[in-house]
């Protein structure tokens, strides 16, 4: 198993020298700007190149520089030094500002992604096929893929019911989802992901079939109860979410009693594992 915590970021650049830190609190990656700039610009003095680019972006009013902040990252000599970092969106914004032939392949890739998303607006089936092909490439079988797509539809029908019952936006949806998960698994969605060694990856995509079944049962039970009882607002819907999750908990308890073992598994679909490094925040 690969142990590179920056596996996905480095894959984009075909390089293993881009320092990347995972912020557990914000659930976000931060990338060393000077490392990206150095690789794409091939400048002999990447620090100087970044200072000049940063000044130009500031003069242009580019908000990426405003969102750029400092973390102490480990240097080649093993010491931690203050380094400008950005999140993944900011990284791509900076790449677009680098006038270098080395940046062109990534710019072309971004342009292709944008074109594909526009095509999907006119023909949504393209997006569905892209999703199916992506799951196939990751090794999922056809039955799992069909069930996953159906689960996405069921999730949307649940949030529609929540919306009708006065629940507002993704933040409150997340609160209710956590109540369902806690009731049947004993963990919030975030805790469950950490239990499985996940970060940005989808929790559902890394569950085995029985875990997915219990998650689906908890949400489907919650949806039907909420649709029938019409609880209004977040507080009342939390009560219903706990009941829906508990229905899945009853099923879990009975199955575990018959099996004589827990059905909650640390297994995931990753072909690598993360190696944590210390993250040091600097208050500017």
């Amino acid at each position: 198993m690969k142990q590179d915590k920056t596996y996905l970021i480095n894959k984009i650049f075909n390089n293993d020298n881009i320092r990347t830190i995972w912020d557990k609190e914000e659930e976000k990656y931060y990338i060393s700007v000077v490392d990206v700039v150095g690789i794409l610009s091939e400048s002999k003095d990447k620090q100087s190149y970044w200072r000049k680019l940063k000044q130009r972006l500031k003069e242009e009013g580019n908000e990426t520089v405003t969102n750029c902040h400092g973390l102490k990252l480990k240097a080649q000599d093993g010491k931690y030094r203050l380094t400008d970092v950005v999140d993944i969106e900011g990284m791509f914004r900076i790449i677009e500002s680098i006038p270098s032939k080395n940046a062109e392949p990534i710019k072309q890739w971004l342009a292709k992604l944008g074109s594909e998303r526009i095509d999907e607006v006119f023909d949504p089936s393209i997006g569905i096929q892209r999703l199916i092909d992506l799951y196939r490439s990751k090794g999922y079988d056809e039955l799992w893929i069909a069930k996953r797509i159906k689960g996405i539809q069921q999730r949307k029908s649940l949030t529609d019911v929540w919306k009708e019952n006065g629940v507002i936006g993704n933040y409150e949806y997340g609160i209710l989802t956590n109540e369902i998960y806690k009731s049947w698994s004993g963990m919030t969605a975030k805790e469950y992901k950490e239990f499985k060694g996940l970060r940005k990856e989808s929790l559902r995509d890394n569950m085995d079939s029985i875990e997915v079944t219990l998650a689906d049962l908890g949400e489907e039970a919650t949806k039907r109860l909420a649709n029938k009882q019409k609880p209004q607002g977040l507080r009342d819907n939390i009560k219903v979410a706990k009941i829906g999750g508990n229905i899945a908990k009853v099923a879990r308890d009975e199955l575990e009693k018959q099996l004589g073992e827990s059905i909650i598994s640390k297994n995931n679909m990753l072909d690598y594992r993360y190696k944590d490094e210390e993250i040091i925040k600097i208050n500017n």
Side-chain angles (χ1 to χ4, degrees):
M1 295 176 69
K2 297 182 179 69
Q3 297 184 6
D4 186 1
K5 65 178 176 30
T6 63
Y7 173 72
L8 297 176
I9 302 299
N10 290 323
K11 189 175 179 182
I12 294 173
F13 295 93
N14 295 316
N15 189 285
D16 61 359
N17 294 317
I18 297 176
R19 289 169 293 172
T20 305
I21 288 290
W22 171 253
D23 190 317
K24 186 183 294 187
E25 294 178 7
E26 297 186 25
E27 296 189 286
K28 183 182 288 189
Y29 281 109
Y30 284 104
I31 301 101
S32 167
V33 178
V34 73
D35 291 349
V36 172
V37 167
I39 289 169
L40 295 182
S41 69
E42 291 187 325
S43 173
K44 293 181 180 179
D45 187 352
K46 58 186 180 181
Q47 295 284 359
S48 178
Y49 187 100
W50 168 233
R51 282 195 298 270
K52 292 178 181 178
L53 177 60
K54 186 177 181 179
Q55 182 60 38
R56 176 169 67 80
L57 293 175
K58 275 186 178 179
E59 292 171 355
E60 294 173 354
N62 191 311
E63 64 180 21
T64 304
V65 178
T66 304
N67 295 331
C68 181
H69 62 279
L71 295 177
K72 279 193 173 182
L73 301 185
K74 186 184 287 186
Q76 289 184 341
D77 61 7
K79 295 181 179 179
Y80 283 85
R81 292 188 173 87
L82 187 63
T83 306
D84 282 341
V85 297
V86 289
D87 60 16
I88 292 177
E89 181 181 351
M91 177 188 72
F92 285 126
R93 292 287 302 277
I94 288 173
I95 290 170
E96 290 171 341
S97 303
I98 298 175
S100 165
K101 69 180 187 301
N102 294 328
E104 282 305 307
I106 297 177
K107 292 179 183 179
Q108 292 173 8
W109 176 63
L110 290 172
K112 184 174 183 294
L113 287 179
S115 176
E116 289 173 351
R117 297 305 176 271
I118 291 174
D119 288 341
E120 290 169 11
V121 171
F122 293 100
D123 184 359
S125 67
I126 296 174
I128 297 171
Q129 188 59 54
R130 179 174 58 84
L131 176 64
I132 292 171
D133 290 342
L134 181 57
Y135 277 129
R136 285 172 176 166
S137 71
K138 290 179 177 291
Y140 293 98
D141 61 44
E142 298 301 314
L143 185 61
W144 188 97
I145 294 171
K147 187 174 182 179
R148 182 70 176 98
I149 292 174
K150 185 177 181 181
I152 293 171
Q153 293 175 304
Q154 291 174 334
R155 171 69 183 181
K156 180 60 170 62
S157 66
L158 171 60
T159 58
D160 285 345
V161 171
W162 280 340
K163 185 176 181 180
E164 291 173 3
N165 291 350
V167 178
I168 304 171
N170 290 332
Y171 176 73
E172 292 191 352
Y173 295 163
I175 292 174
L176 295 175
T177 301
N178 278 333
E179 292 299 336
I180 297 171
Y181 272 110
K182 282 192 295 184
S183 293
W184 73 263
S185 74
M187 296 177 281
T188 65
K190 181 179 179 180
E191 291 167 344
Y192 208 154
K193 289 178 73 171
E194 291 177 354
F195 176 74
K196 283 183 171 288
L198 308 174
R199 289 183 176 173
K200 295 290 283 185
E201 298 85 3
S202 164
L203 177 56
R204 292 290 183 98
D205 287 356
N206 288 277
M207 288 179 167
D208 69 14
S209 59
I210 192 62
E211 289 174 299
V212 170
T213 298
L214 290 172
D216 287 346
L217 176 59
E219 292 196 348
E220 182 66 19
T222 299
K223 182 189 75 175
R224 296 198 180 197
L225 290 167
N227 198 36
K228 179 135 182 111
Q229 298 178 10
K230 305 295 184 186
Q232 291 302 305
L234 180 61
R235 182 177 296 180
D236 288 344
N237 275 279
I238 285 176
K239 296 176 183 177
V240 174
K242 288 180 177 179
I243 296 171
N246 192 58
I247 290 170
K249 176 66 163 56
V250 171
R252 175 194 170 185
D253 288 345
E254 182 59 29
L255 179 58
E256 289 182 342
K257 179 181 177 182
Q258 296 300 321
L259 291 173
E261 61 185 20
S262 174
I263 56 87
I264 301 293
S265 170
K266 285 190 173 184
N267 293 338
N268 59 51
M269 290 291 291
L270 303 183
D271 63 351
Y272 56 93
R273 66 183 176 88
Y274 293 108
K275 181 180 177 182
D276 288 325
E277 284 192 8
E278 183 181 6
I279 180 168
I280 305 175
K281 292 192 175 183
I282 304 298
N283 294 321
N284 294 326

